[in-house]
Amino acid sequence: MRSFLWLPPLLTAASLSLAADLTAEQPDQVAISPGQCWVHAPVAPRPVREEVEVVVQEPSVRYSVTPAQLQEGVQQIVTREGVRTYRVIPATYKQVTEQVLVKPEIERSVVVPAVYEERDAVLTVEQAKTVLEPCQAAGTRYARSGAIALCAKEIPAREETVQVRVLVTPETTRVVREPAVYETVTRWVVDQPAQVIELDVQPELTTLAKVETVTPEQTRERTEPAVTRTMSVTRYQGEPQVALRQAVCDSDLKPDLISRLQAALNRRGYTLGNVDGKLGKRTISALSEFQADQGLAVGAVTYESLEALGIR
């Protein structure tokens, strides 16, 4: 009758429980034959090493500057500019005395009154007149017919002597001239007018030392490429787990098998020293390192490790 699980007697109760859980997780049941040895060993995430190019210095732009070439010399500097200016000769004056009209001549008319003379004059105050007065004439005195005689009587004029003013010289006008009024004034008049004389003022110069640029400064640009470094980067595939693996029993760990294991590890670069056919700490350490790198169960000489190393 075949048994499905055989565990070494050194496993604890906790290990038995863990083994049962792991066995339940396997997709198929594992057939275990008598005389086989099995181990619960951790399977670490498989390290995957790759070369990565890392930029340790980014590309940059560099500049090189060629200084300017200078030459010493001299130059003249205008310290005071020349200019066209003007000089003014002021005017000269002289004193003169003159009569200034302050009131012009005025003509006005004056009335010459009339001249009268007192004289006696006979003035007829009542002219002579003829009047009819009743009278006896032509027999009317005795007549009984009612006729009345009228006789014409001249009454002489009545005169009076009066004093009258007789115009001798009529009233006239005459022109009266009022002479102009002058005042004597002393004043200054221009004897010689001002004159403007044009002058040219020459510039003032000074000599200074001068440095001239023969060749100007030049700036050159160059691009520095990025500096890279190749580095070994280890990534891990998978998750850590515990696996049940068939191991080589102690009775089967013959020196020949151990020697071949040691030689295979040495060839793979896992240096463990001399190949002596003895399973010691250095051999187990090298084997564990190989198992971890390959993603195998770590810590025991398992058949999957021997197969991975090409040991039959």
Side-chain angles (χ1 to χ4, degrees):
M1 182 175 180
R2 299 182 61 184
S3 173
F4 290 97
L5 181 62
W6 176 85
L7 298 174
L10 295 178
L11 294 176
T12 63
S15 298
L16 290 173
S17 176
L18 180 59
D21 292 339
L22 291 174
T23 303
E25 292 179 0
Q26 300 298 322
D28 298 318
Q29 290 184 343
V30 178
I32 297 177
S33 301
Q36 293 179 343
C37 296
W38 293 78
V39 295
H40 277 114
V43 179
R46 180 173 177 268
V48 178
R49 294 180 178 85
E50 59 183 12
E51 299 297 322
V52 177
E53 193 173 71
V54 179
V55 177
V56 296
Q57 179 176 312
E58 293 184 345
S60 61
V61 177
R62 299 289 183 178
Y63 296 92
S64 61
V65 178
T66 302
Q69 293 184 4
L70 306 178
Q71 179 179 358
E72 295 185 356
V74 294
Q75 66 174 348
Q76 286 190 328
I77 301 297
V78 177
T79 57
R80 183 174 182 178
E81 293 183 346
V83 68
R84 173 166 292 180
T85 185
Y86 301 89
R87 183 167 63 88
V88 178
I89 300 177
T92 58
Y93 295 84
K94 65 181 179 179
Q95 192 177 33
V96 296
T97 302
E98 60 183 21
Q99 298 292 320
V100 178
L101 177 67
V102 295
K103 183 178 180 181
E105 183 182 64
I106 299 175
E107 291 183 356
R108 60 186 181 85
S109 297
V110 178
V111 176
V112 179
V115 178
Y116 292 88
E117 187 178 83
E118 300 252 354
R119 295 180 185 177
D120 291 334
V122 178
L123 178 64
T124 301
V125 295
E126 185 175 353
Q127 291 181 345
K129 63 181 179 179
T130 299
V131 298
L132 293 176
E133 295 181 351
C135 64
Q136 293 179 357
T140 57
R141 178 175 178 179
Y142 302 107
R144 301 288 188 206
S145 57
I148 299 174
L150 296 171
C151 296
K153 182 183 179 180
E154 182 177 4
I155 299 175
R158 189 166 59 87
E159 297 178 346
E160 289 185 5
T161 301
V162 294
Q163 266 191 344
V164 296
R165 297 179 68 189
V166 178
L167 178 64
V168 178
T169 304
E171 185 178 85
T172 61
T173 60
R174 61 184 179 86
V175 176
V176 178
R177 298 180 183 275
E178 293 183 1
V181 179
Y182 293 87
E183 287 190 6
T184 301
V185 176
T186 301
R187 64 190 184 93
W188 293 91
V189 297
V190 176
D191 182 32
Q192 183 69 34
Q195 296 180 5
V196 178
I197 300 176
E198 188 177 277
L199 300 175
D200 286 331
V201 178
Q202 298 301 317
E204 295 181 6
L205 305 176
T206 186
T207 302
L208 298 176
K210 179 183 179 181
V211 177
E212 296 180 342
T213 301
V214 178
T215 304
E217 179 182 272
Q218 296 181 356
T219 302
R220 293 183 177 83
E221 176 183 324
R222 71 177 187 278
T223 302
E224 292 286 343
V227 178
T228 61
R229 176 182 175 185
T230 302
M231 301 183 66
S232 177
V233 177
T234 303
R235 295 184 295 101
Y236 293 91
Q237 294 180 344
E239 298 294 332
Q241 57 183 321
V242 177
L244 180 63
R245 295 291 186 267
Q246 184 179 0
V248 179
C249 295
D250 286 348
S251 59
D252 294 328
L253 287 174
K254 305 299 183 180
D256 177 63
L257 176 60
I258 296 173
S259 296
R260 287 188 292 147
L261 173 63
Q262 292 173 334
L265 290 173
N266 277 333
R267 286 193 300 271
R268 296 293 185 99
Y270 299 94
T271 304
L272 48 82
N274 296 327
V275 177
D276 55 6
K278 296 179 180 180
L279 187 61
K281 290 183 178 180
R282 296 181 64 180
T283 302
I284 292 298
S285 176
L287 176 61
S288 298
E289 186 178 351
F290 168 76
Q291 291 169 334
D293 290 344
Q294 299 299 316
L296 306 177
V298 179
V301 182
T302 60
Y303 283 101
E304 69 173 359
S305 299
L306 296 176
E307 184 177 353
L309 287 169
I311 300 174
R312 295 290 186 266

